[in-house]
């Protein structure tokens, strides 16, 4: 049973920088898992932010960036804005046709 | 403009069945693999099923294997999810998503359709 881990919650001050992480219950996250990140506000569909570790989806501001930090995938928001307050989900491509989402991180901007 | 529009959700009793639909427009549907992703009330996202562009490859999450059947009709730019033997834990918003297979991510998302399983 593959479990993808994320911080349940995080807070950042407006204008600040925050890094959310995405790990594996057993093992390290690497680019072979094609980590991707999604933003979701209540009642809305997810929005694709980052794919293939560090590629921004079309229209995503460059204050969002993806990387591998240590043994985890990471989403960094630089210069956080009020409307970045959302839930953020990572997902890993585990094997042929199988994806596993993390539990999501609720980001508060205050 | 890319659009994915889900339909077919509703209230169903435990053990019942539903067929969800996803209508696609604004992109070349038959070039894309597709997936269903669900979200239980107040919970996170859960990948449910995948179907390749030609329907030749299909996968399911263990939690739905044997009860859910994914299919598509490229002539109608549509994807479907037949859900049988519904359980309370299947209560969720079901999203359809277009999959970019060379980078294995969900590129386009629909707005979702709510399935409620309750007696």
């Amino acid at each position: 049973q593959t479990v993808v881990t994320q911080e349940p919650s995080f807070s950042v001050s407006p204008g600040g920088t925050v890094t959310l992480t995405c790990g594996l219950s057993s093992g390290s996250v690497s680019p072979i898992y094609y980590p991707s990140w999604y933003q979701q506000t209540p009642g809305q569909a997810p929005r694709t932010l980052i794919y293939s570790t560090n590629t921004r989806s079309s229209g995503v501001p460059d204050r969002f960036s993806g990387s591998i930090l240590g043994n985890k995938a990471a989403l960094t928001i630089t210069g956080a804005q009020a409307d970045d307050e959302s839930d953020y989900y990572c997902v890993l491509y585990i094997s042929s046709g199988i994806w596993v989402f993390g539990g999501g991180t609720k980001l508060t901007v205050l | 403009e890319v659009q994915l529009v889900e339909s077919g959700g509703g209230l169903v009793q435990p053990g019942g069945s539903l067929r969800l639909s996803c209508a696609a427009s604004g992109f070349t549907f038959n070039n894309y693999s597709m997936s269903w992703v669900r979200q239980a009330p107040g919970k996170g996202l859960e990948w449910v099923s995948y179907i390749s562009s030609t329907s030749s490859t299909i996968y399911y999450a263990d939690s739905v294997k044997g009860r859910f059947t994914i299919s598509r009709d490229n002539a109608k730019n549509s994807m479907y999810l037949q859900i049988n033997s519904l359980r309370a834990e299947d209560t969720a918003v079901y999203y359809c998503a277009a999959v970019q297979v060379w980078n294995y991510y969900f590129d386009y998302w629909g707005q979702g359709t709510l399935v409620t399983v309750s007696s």
Side-chain angles (χ1 to χ4, degrees):
Chain A
Q1 176 84 355
T2 300
V3 177
V4 176
T5 60
Q6 295 185 249
E7 299 87 358
S9 62
F10 231 117
S11 64
V12 62
S13 300
T17 297
V18 63
T19 297
L20 312 181
T21 67
C22 174
L24 273 172
S25 54
S26 55
S28 298
V29 177
S30 71
I32 64 169
Y33 290 104
Y34 294 88
S36 54
W37 292 88
Y38 305 83
Q39 177 191 49
Q40 187 184 37
T41 53
Q44 298 297 312
R47 170 198 180 197
T48 306
L49 293 177
I50 300 286
Y51 62 90
S52 196
T53 304
N54 56 14
T55 304
R56 274 186 298 276
S57 187
S58 177
V60 174
D62 59 7
R63 66 176 185 276
F64 293 92
S65 62
S67 64
I68 299 290
L69 286 181
N71 62 351
K72 296 182 179 181
L75 173 71
T76 299
I77 307 172
T78 304
Q81 301 181 1
D83 61 4
D84 295 334
E85 186 161 294
S86 301
D87 295 326
Y88 291 86
Y89 293 92
C90 73
V91 65
L92 302 180
Y93 183 69
I94 298 301
S95 63
S96 296
I98 308 294
W99 286 264
V100 178
F101 281 91
T105 297
K106 183 178 182 63
L107 180 67
T108 302
V109 180
L110 51 73
Chain B
E1 179 194 5
V2 170
Q3 277 201 310
L4 291 171
V5 179
E6 302 92 337
S7 61
L11 175 63
V12 62
Q13 291 188 339
S17 297
L18 274 179
R19 189 193 195 209
L20 308 183
S21 298
C22 170
S25 60
F27 65 103
T28 306
F29 180 72
N30 58 12
N31 284 350
Y32 277 77
S33 295
M34 299 292 293
S35 267
W36 289 96
V37 175
R38 69 182 179 182
Q39 186 170 36
K43 302 297 184 182
L45 299 170
E46 178 188 16
W47 172 79
V48 171
S49 185
Y50 163 91
I51 185 167
S52 64
S53 59
T54 61
S55 304
S56 60
T57 302
I58 286 174
Y59 296 105
Y60 299 98
D62 288 343
S63 57
V64 307
K65 206 172 291 184
R67 299 187 300 121
F68 289 17
T69 302
I70 192 172
S71 62
R72 64 189 293 162
D73 184 341
N74 287 345
K76 295 182 178 179
N77 285 351
S78 293
M79 176 179 66
Y80 309 98
L81 188 68
Q82 177 68 40
I83 311 176
N84 298 330
S85 305
L86 276 158
R87 307 166 179 168
E89 55 265 35
D90 295 319
T91 294
V93 174
Y94 285 73
Y95 295 101
C96 68
V99 180
Q100 283 283 5
V101 294
W102 53 86
N103 281 306
Y104 302 109
Y105 72 101
F106 306 107
D107 198 0
Y108 309 131
W109 295 78
Q111 286 300 308
T113 187
L114 175 63
V115 173
T116 303
V117 184
S118 175
S119 55

